[in-house]
Every structure is written in C-alpha cells, then in structure tokens.
Amino acid sequence: MSKLVNRLLTFFIGLPVMIALVIFDYFHHLPLNIVAVGFSFIGAWEFCNMATKKTPLFNKYLISTLAALLPLIFSFIEIGTEAIAWIFTFFIIILMAVECFSQENFTFSVEKLAISTLIIFYCGFGMTFISRMTMLTNSTYFIILYFILVFMCDS
C-alpha cells in the first residue's frame, strides 16, 4: 500500500472515529481517555521495540505500563497539573531503583535510564495533554479542533 493511500485511509477513517469518541462526552470523555491510555501503552511498546535495536532498555512491560499510567491517573483522578509532573518524577525514581537493585554491572545504566525516561515522557506525559483538555469547560470543541489540526498536518 502506498504512503498516499495509507495517509488518506488514516484521514478518512481515523478522523471520524476520533470525532465520534470526542462527541461522546461522558465522565470527562471516558471513551477518549480509555483510548488514550491504550495508545500510550502501544506507543511506548513500539518505541521500546525501536530503541532496543540500538541500546539495552528496562523491561518493556515496565516502561509501557508506567507510560500508560500517566494518562490513566490524570483521567480518572482529578489532580492538578503540578501533581502529574511529580508522578512522572516518581516513575523515574522507580526506574532508578529497579536499575540499582537488579543489576550487578552498571555499564549501560545512563543510556537505559535516558531512553526509558524519554519513552515515558513522549508516550505517557505527552498523552496527558489530551486528558488535560477533557477537563476544560467546552472541551469537546477544543479536542475536535486539536484532532483536526493534527490530522491535517499528518495527511
């Protein structure tokens, strides 16, 4: 399948599905938040697959779960935006503790920690942006506009 056909299918199928998820406004866009948690897990898993070709990483399940927990915590527990940064920092401390207590040789520790932190930040913390938009007053309009802009740039 050519790139043009793939992008057009993404635009004509993906955009209506995402708009349908956004329009269903129940408990701060619950279906959209569930999809965001799933996408952050899948995105972190794929990012781990790409990164393990170049450098060793922590366990993929651990990284993907921590990345998915960030939007999950933010969507179901109404906390401030400052708290999500502290939770992200706590996840980094968890990674440091796992490295400290599970390794005898700390040869690639800095690389593992840096790539794993990037994966959690990019896939988990970045997805909390959508979860944070669901807490706004007229969130449906903002989220639809956000997805239209994203799909227009990618298509």
Side-chain angles (χ1 to χ4, degrees):
M1 184 181 309
S2 71
K3 286 187 177 186
L4 178 65
V5 173
N6 191 9
R7 288 176 185 243
L8 287 174
L9 285 175
T10 301
F11 180 75
F12 287 115
I13 295 173
L15 187 63
V17 168
M18 293 309 290
I19 289 175
L21 284 172
V22 171
I23 288 175
F24 188 67
D25 186 12
Y26 173 73
F27 190 64
H28 295 293
H29 301 277
L30 179 65
L32 180 65
N33 284 321
I34 291 171
V35 168
V37 169
F39 278 164
S40 84
F41 184 86
I42 292 169
W45 186 269
E46 289 299 317
F47 202 151
C48 285
N49 287 337
M50 290 187 299
T52 52
K53 295 176 184 173
K54 299 280 185 183
T55 182
L57 278 179
F58 289 103
N59 187 355
K60 284 194 281 191
Y61 291 105
L62 174 66
I63 297 171
S64 300
T65 303
L66 290 177
L69 277 176
L70 280 173
L72 180 74
I73 290 170
F74 195 84
S75 14
F76 295 116
I77 302 170
E78 293 188 22
I79 56 176
T81 55
E82 298 85 19
I84 203 75
W86 283 107
I87 293 170
F88 175 69
T89 306
F90 179 69
F91 287 170
I92 295 170
I93 293 171
I94 288 173
L95 290 177
M96 288 179 186
V98 166
E99 181 69 15
C100 184
F101 294 122
S102 67
Q103 297 296 319
E104 294 177 9
N105 185 2
F106 298 107
T107 306
F108 295 106
S109 295
V110 174
E111 291 89 355
K112 284 170 60 174
L113 186 63
I115 297 295
S116 301
T117 302
L118 173 69
I119 292 170
I120 294 171
F121 180 78
Y122 186 73
C123 299
F125 198 80
M127 198 61 79
T128 62
F129 179 70
I130 295 172
S131 298
R132 284 183 269 173
M133 280 197 299
T134 62
M135 302 294 174
L136 297 174
T137 307
N138 291 321
S139 61
T140 303
Y141 302 116
F142 293 121
I143 297 170
I144 288 174
L145 179 63
Y146 173 76
F147 281 128
I148 288 173
L149 292 172
V150 167
F151 277 102
M152 291 302 242
C153 289
D154 288 342
S155 297

